[in-house]
């Protein structure tokens, strides 16, 4: 099981993933990092747990909005 280092909100995290899933992990981390950078730009430095929680919630909110748009379009 490979270990991959990802950067979220300016902080490095080493996580394990399945063989061949590295590119998906980097892509997902990139989405989370985008939210974390925006959050820390507005609120300043946050404790790690809070930064990850808030970034995840912001990303989930965007996803929920897109799912709603998709349902309406169908």
């Amino acid at each position: 099981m490979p270990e991959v280092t990802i950067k979220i909100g300016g902080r490095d995290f080493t996580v394990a993933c399945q063989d061949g899933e590295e590119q998906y992990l980097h892509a997902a981390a990139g989405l989370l990092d985008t939210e974390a950078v925006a959050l820390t730009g507005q609120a300043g430095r946050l404790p790690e747990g809070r930064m990850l929680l808030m970034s995840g919630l912001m990303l989930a909110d965007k996803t929920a909005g897109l799912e709603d748009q998709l349902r309406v379009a169908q």
Side-chain angles (χ1 to χ4, degrees):
M1 186 171 281
E3 287 192 348
V4 177
T5 300
I6 56 175
K7 186 176 289 264
I8 299 172
R11 300 173 188 170
D12 290 332
F13 298 90
T14 301
V15 294
C17 64
Q18 298 294 322
D19 287 329
E21 297 293 319
E22 297 89 349
Q23 71 273 16
Y24 300 111
L25 178 57
H26 281 290
L31 293 171
L32 191 57
D33 182 54
T34 298
E35 299 303 324
V37 168
L39 180 64
T40 56
Q42 295 171 1
R45 188 133 174 105
L46 298 168
E48 181 179 289
R50 185 155 183 84
M51 183 260 305
L52 291 171
L53 172 65
M54 294 303 296
S55 299
L57 288 172
M58 290 167 56
L59 189 56
D61 182 57
K62 285 184 178 182
T63 301
L66 290 171
E67 288 175 343
D68 287 345
Q69 290 176 8
L70 181 59
R71 265 192 297 277
V72 169
Q74 291 176 341

